[in-house]
Amino acid sequence: MSNKRIIEAVFLDRDGTIGGDDTVHFPGSFELFPHSQELISKLKKDEIKVFSFTNQPGISEGKATSQEFIDELTKFGFDDTFICPHSHNEGCSCRKPNTGMLLKGAEKYKLNIENCIVIGDRWSDLVAASKANCIKILVKTGAGNSALNEHYDKIKDIDIEYIAENIKDAIDWLYRQFEIKDLSFSS
């Protein structure tokens, strides 16, 4: 029996992590990276909850609706979506780098947040994950290189478990490092 931690859920950022680039693309114009949907399906097949958590201030600006994002993300295969619809200056508790979306997901699904992985491309993804005590993976796609360079001062004190080239590299690392199923219940 391995002494590796059991992973209960993966929280994936949207823009720059599973598709798109370092800007927001509204539903209908957002394109997934190759393999993103397949990787989401693989995690789910292996009984890991997969959630999207994303800041989308365009909702409060009337550029898109929460339901449009929910419909799109559900189509991509996510078990649930956690969306902050607020603008940068609204002072909510859900907008990354705050932990609201992560804690809401952990509470809703009765997860031990320390057994959850956050994969994102922005400094705010990593700060939220660090505050919530999640396992942190930074992808270099989207704003990932910017997080490592221009915004490094915001993450320099965070113990990032892995810096991945892309979502496929991140998920491959996850499978090498952690127990994916609790085999103690197998017959």
Side-chain angles (χ1 to χ4, degrees):
M1 179 70 95
S2 172
N3 61 4
K4 293 181 181 181
R5 285 162 68 178
I6 302 294
I7 297 305
E8 295 181 38
V10 175
F11 287 84
L12 291 169
D13 174 57
R14 178 183 180 265
D15 300 289
T17 300
I18 62 166
D21 51 34
D22 64 349
T23 62
V24 173
H25 295 269
F26 295 107
S29 66
F30 181 78
E31 292 186 25
L32 288 173
F33 292 139
H35 307 295
S36 288
Q37 196 159 7
E38 169 187 322
L39 292 165
I40 292 167
S41 295
K42 177 177 178 48
L43 289 166
K44 288 175 61 172
K45 180 181 79 54
D46 289 330
E47 300 176 15
I48 295 176
K49 293 280 186 204
V50 185
F51 305 125
S52 172
F53 84 127
T54 180
N55 289 343
Q56 294 298 335
I59 294 169
S60 68
E61 299 164 6
K63 296 178 180 174
T65 66
S66 291
Q67 193 59 53
E68 288 171 320
F69 281 99
I70 292 167
D71 291 347
E72 173 196 72
L73 294 163
T74 301
K75 180 181 76 180
F76 295 158
F78 285 98
D79 290 303
D80 205 344
T81 58
F82 299 95
I83 301 170
C84 173
H86 305 105
S87 68
H88 303 275
N89 57 2
E90 287 187 62
C92 64
S93 64
C94 55
R95 184 173 182 77
K96 297 179 272 183
N98 295 319
T99 58
M101 290 184 280
L102 296 171
L103 297 178
K104 183 178 178 182
E107 181 180 332
K108 182 175 180 179
Y109 290 93
K110 297 175 180 32
L111 303 170
N112 177 346
I113 197 76
E114 293 179 6
N115 291 333
C116 295
I117 298 206
V118 168
I119 302 174
D121 69 319
R122 295 185 181 272
W123 68 267
S124 56
D125 299 322
L126 298 174
V127 171
S130 181
K131 288 179 183 177
N133 206 20
C134 296
I135 299 160
K136 299 154 293 300
I137 301 175
L138 173 72
V139 291
K140 291 183 181 179
T141 52
N145 283 317
S146 175
L148 289 170
N149 296 304
E150 295 93 74
H151 299 289
Y152 182 72
D153 59 316
K154 296 176 181 170
I155 61 170
K156 66 180 171 36
D157 296 325
I158 294 174
D159 183 22
I160 300 169
E161 280 79 5
Y162 188 63
I163 298 173
E165 292 299 317
N166 54 41
I167 188 68
K168 183 175 183 330
D169 182 27
I171 300 298
D172 287 348
W173 179 84
L174 182 155
Y175 273 87
R176 288 191 308 269
Q177 297 299 314
F178 299 99
E179 282 295 324
I180 302 305
K181 290 184 183 178
D182 185 354
L183 301 176
S184 63
F185 296 106
S186 300
S187 50

